[in-house]
Amino acid sequence: MELLSGLLSSLGLSGAAGLNAYIPLLLVGLLSRADVVHLNAPFDLLGNPWVLLGVAVIGLLDFVGDKIPGVDHVLHVAGGVVNAAAGAVLFAAQTGVADVPPALSMALGLIVAGGVQATRTAVRPVATATTAGLANPVVSTVEDGTSLMLSALAVFAPVVAALLLAVLVVGVYRFWSARRGRRLA
């Protein structure tokens, strides 16, 4: 049961990293410092105060930049690597997946976070184009809030986090399919 819970938690954290790399890293690092979660070495460095400070500063810059049309697009392109890497680290850091080889767990985290990030990067230009960029701060804030909620659920209610991630994936797929259908018609 611990393996399943760890896998679901890892999936939720990786999905959250696809939306915002810094929120789940910061949350997991802070919870590690508070001894709420245990991280395997070398990922226990996420709880180091200097690492937490660095993540918080870069996260704040990303938070502000992501609200500005044009800057958000550059951040999303660069975020393809950053978000996927954060997802890989978060997936591998979880104690409950100790039976999963580290390379496999990092690959799974990379795929989940990278997939969420790629979808986010593809959808954002639609919001920019249809609203002249006015919706970008709102969309970004929703993404950040969803990342925070998904991160917290992944730690404290992993089954709910995995279900929420599945609902998000299905919802985005349906939205994208409907949008493509209108364009083809």
Side-chain angles (χ1 to χ4, degrees):
M1 188 64 175
E2 185 178 328
L3 177 63
L4 179 61
S5 177
L7 285 171
L8 294 176
S9 179
S10 297
L11 282 170
L13 287 169
S14 295
L19 292 170
N20 182 315
Y22 309 102
I23 289 173
L25 286 172
L26 191 59
L27 179 70
V28 167
L30 289 170
L31 291 175
S32 172
R33 280 203 60 75
D35 287 328
V36 174
V37 298
H38 174 76
L39 301 175
N40 293 327
F43 306 108
D44 57 347
L45 284 173
L46 287 174
N48 179 296
W50 291 108
V51 172
L52 286 170
L53 180 63
V55 169
V57 168
I58 294 170
L60 181 62
L61 293 172
D62 179 74
F63 179 82
V64 171
D66 199 35
K67 308 302 184 267
I68 303 168
V71 174
D72 65 340
H73 181 68
V74 172
L75 288 173
H76 286 196
V77 171
V81 174
V82 174
N83 292 52
V89 166
L90 288 162
F91 201 109
Q94 295 302 296
T95 304
V97 295
D99 296 338
V100 178
L104 177 59
S105 64
M106 289 189 86
L108 290 171
L110 185 91
I111 290 167
V112 171
V116 171
Q117 170 63 19
T119 302
R120 175 180 170 223
T121 301
V123 169
R124 183 64 73 90
V126 174
T128 301
T130 57
T131 67
L134 296 176
N136 289 21
V138 174
V139 172
S140 177
T141 302
V142 169
E143 291 170 351
D144 294 339
T146 303
S147 179
L148 179 60
M149 181 176 55
L150 192 55
S151 298
L153 287 172
V155 172
F156 298 111
V159 174
V160 177
L163 290 172
L164 177 60
L165 187 59
V167 167
L168 288 172
V169 168
V170 169
V172 168
Y173 174 77
R174 286 185 175 173
F175 170 78
W176 195 254
S177 295
R179 179 120 176 94
R180 281 192 63 182
R182 275 188 268 152
R183 208 175 336 143
L184 295 174

